[in-house]
Amino acid sequence: MNITDRFLKYVSFCTTSDENTGMTPSTPGQMEFARFLADELKTIGLQEVTLDSNGYIMATLPANIESENPKIPVVGFIAHMDTSPDASGKHIQPRIVKNYDGKDIELSDGIILETAKYPEILRYQGQDIIVTNGKTLLGADDKAGIAEIVTAMEYLIQHPDIKHGKIRIGFTPDEEIGCGADHFDVNAFGCDFAYTMDGGAIGELEFENFNAAACKIRVHGINVHPGSAYHKMQNSMRIAYQFAVMLPRWETPEHTQEYEGFYHLIGMNGTVEETTLNYIIRDHDRARFESRKREMEHLVRKINREYGDGTAEIEIRDQYYNMREKIEPVMHIIDLAKEAMTAVGITPVVKPIRGGTDGARLSFEGLPCPNIFAGGENFHSRFEYLPILSMEKACQVILEIIKRVK
């Protein structure tokens, strides 16, 4: 199966993750997709294919080389099966725009992928691009990464003349809700180092990421009939709004870039009696990250001083940390990825991730794991798209890395 057909098959599975279920995987569609993938890996000839009860897949491509090196490093490639809950991943209807002409793309009636808003797409003029119908995300994050890894493994199986060491692959659930590494068994994976195929545009190579935390604020109110509410009612929604506007207006995702951190309100739900605010907190610098968490706690104390103890409650959970400190001692794996990209005609673009990957947490668990582009753009959006050539090039990068690990 070619890589495009493989990707289009993968996005037919609805694998949106959900942080509210408390299960792993968090949604049944992920396990359905995992079973399909496990069967596919066996069919193409991979060995030691395992699928555990939490939806984690691992498989092996055995070494086919004899070397004077007594221990050829075992390299792994990892991608995640879920798609973001930020946009619908159900009933995705992909379409291939052939030989893109550089103009706005009408995704469906009245829904336009505009070059003025998304000028990066102009880099792909003359290429074939996979888009959505503008009503769902596409799922290139990270089903493109899975398609690239599986296609590369299939190619190596079909071309035994390409000599290589042992290769391991792993597919995880629930990365988009910060849980992709929760049950990943690093020892069972058994790699010296690995790469997540979970980056964006072609050429991206990343070994720095945000320190990340999830924060939930619960505000308790008192409901009284509005006709007799004077000095009695406490409207939790209004208090929650007061909390939200106390945070720095310009320290939000839409006003920050590169190494700048932010507070991001990702959800709010409430009544007069109770309102919940869900935030994510991000910063590349660990000290500033800790300061941001303290600021959230400080603002909760201010609310409680004004409205009474227990009016607001806060829960903060660290999700992952900046992997840079774990990658710097093994920078040869970054050099290896750069060499592989250069070999297939790609200029490496080394940049910090304004987000995170499974690799961030795995790096702190003893598996150095930088991130390589999967090729898509506008992730988590109904304007997401995937240049087919970028996906093909990512597959070639995997093959070139493998050829060089000897």
Side-chain angles (χ1 to χ4, degrees):
M1 184 183 298
N2 69 48
I3 195 168
T4 301
D5 290 342
R6 179 166 274 131
F7 172 75
L8 293 176
K9 176 62 179 177
Y10 291 172
V11 301
S12 68
F13 291 87
C14 178
T15 59
T16 307
S17 49
D18 182 352
E19 67 178 354
N20 297 310
T21 68
M23 300 185 298
T24 304
S26 63
T27 50
Q30 294 184 71
M31 186 59 86
E32 180 186 358
F33 183 39
R35 294 191 190 100
F36 172 87
L37 282 174
D39 288 342
E40 182 182 24
L41 298 181
K42 294 173 186 176
T43 298
I44 68 172
L46 288 176
Q47 299 181 19
E48 301 174 338
V49 178
T50 61
L51 169 59
D52 70 17
S53 60
N54 290 310
Y56 289 76
I57 298 173
M58 294 183 184
T60 300
L61 180 61
N64 66 355
I65 189 174
E66 293 183 4
S67 172
E68 295 179 358
N69 182 355
K71 188 180 185 303
I72 300 173
V74 179
V75 61
F77 295 91
I78 299 170
H80 64 88
M81 297 178 288
D82 64 318
T83 59
S84 170
D86 291 344
S88 173
K90 191 175 183 180
H91 303 310
I92 295 171
Q93 296 181 26
R95 171 168 63 96
I96 300 176
V97 177
K98 297 282 190 178
N99 192 25
Y100 172 58
D101 61 8
K103 298 178 182 178
D104 292 352
I105 300 174
E106 184 172 5
L107 303 176
S108 58
D109 291 343
I111 303 177
I112 311 295
L113 201 171
E114 301 177 46
T115 58
K117 289 183 179 179
Y118 307 104
E120 297 83 4
I121 197 170
L122 297 175
R123 298 193 295 244
Y124 307 107
Q125 291 185 59
Q127 297 186 28
D128 295 345
I129 301 174
I130 305 175
V131 299
T132 74
N133 65 355
K135 299 177 182 179
T136 68
L137 48 65
L138 177 60
D141 180 12
D142 189 24
K143 287 169 182 166
I146 298 174
E148 292 151 9
I149 294 169
V150 176
T151 301
M153 296 304 104
E154 184 177 47
Y155 185 87
L156 290 170
I157 291 167
Q158 294 174 351
H159 295 80
D161 54 302
I162 300 174
K163 301 304 178 183
H164 56 80
K166 181 179 177 180
I167 309 300
R168 290 281 279 165
I169 67 172
F171 301 138
T172 66
D174 293 328
E175 188 271 354
E176 296 291 0
I177 57 173
C179 300
D182 280 5
H183 303 284
F184 191 99
D185 190 333
V186 170
N187 291 329
F189 198 51
C191 289
D192 294 277
F193 58 91
Y195 300 91
T196 48
M197 302 300 298
D198 193 19
I202 187 169
E204 287 186 3
L205 174 59
E206 300 153 326
F207 64 93
E208 299 178 77
N209 60 276
F210 280 135
N211 297 288
C215 178
K216 181 176 288 187
I217 310 291
R218 288 188 180 89
V219 181
H220 305 286
I222 300 172
N223 196 8
V224 179
H225 189 286
S228 55
Y230 184 70
H231 285 177
K232 298 175 183 176
M233 177 184 287
Q234 275 193 183
N235 190 325
S236 75
M237 292 180 289
R238 188 183 63 77
I239 298 170
Y241 171 77
Q242 180 179 332
F243 176 91
V245 298
M246 285 194 292
L247 287 167
R249 177 182 177 187
W250 303 111
E251 295 182 25
T252 56
E254 60 267 38
H255 294 114
T256 53
Q257 60 184 336
E258 297 179 349
Y259 286 94
E260 297 172 327
F262 56 74
Y263 306 92
H264 181 28
L265 178 62
I266 60 173
M268 58 191 306
N269 183 51
T271 63
V272 173
E273 284 280 352
E274 183 170 296
T275 297
T276 301
L277 302 174
N278 290 296
Y279 284 89
I280 59 174
I281 304 168
R282 300 289 188 265
D283 209 297
H284 280 89
D285 182 86
R286 185 65 175 266
R288 289 196 298 266
F289 172 65
E290 298 297 335
S291 177
R292 289 184 185 281
K293 292 190 291 181
R294 289 194 297 270
E295 177 65 10
M296 299 291 278
E297 294 169 336
H298 169 67
L299 294 180
V300 164
R301 289 193 294 270
K302 287 187 69 173
I303 290 292
N304 287 334
R305 280 197 297 269
E306 181 172 351
Y307 294 99
D309 289 344
T311 299
E313 299 173 322
I314 185 169
E315 176 186 331
I316 299 177
R317 174 176 60 87
D318 284 1
Q319 296 171 303
Y320 48 82
Y321 303 110
N322 191 341
M323 74 171 92
R324 176 171 184 152
E325 66 180 86
K326 300 300 181 180
I327 301 299
E328 284 184 329
V330 290
M331 284 297 288
H332 67 278
I333 67 176
I334 301 299
D335 295 335
L336 179 61
K338 289 179 181 177
E339 292 168 6
M341 289 187 190
T342 302
V344 299
I346 297 170
T347 301
V349 180
V350 180
K351 56 181 290 189
I353 310 171
R354 285 186 61 78
T357 67
D358 286 334
R361 285 182 58 189
L362 295 176
S363 293
F364 280 86
E365 293 178 19
L367 177 64
C369 196
N371 193 39
I372 293 174
F373 71 93
E377 301 256 16
N378 294 344
F379 286 168
H380 299 193
S381 164
R382 53 202 179 95
F383 296 104
E384 184 181 2
Y385 62 90
L386 174 64
I388 291 175
L389 180 60
S390 297
M391 185 166 53
E392 293 172 342
K393 286 291 188 180
C395 182
Q396 292 173 24
V397 169
I398 294 171
L399 293 171
E400 288 295 327
I401 289 173
I402 290 169
K403 291 175 186 178
R404 285 166 166 74
V405 180
K406 295 179 182 179

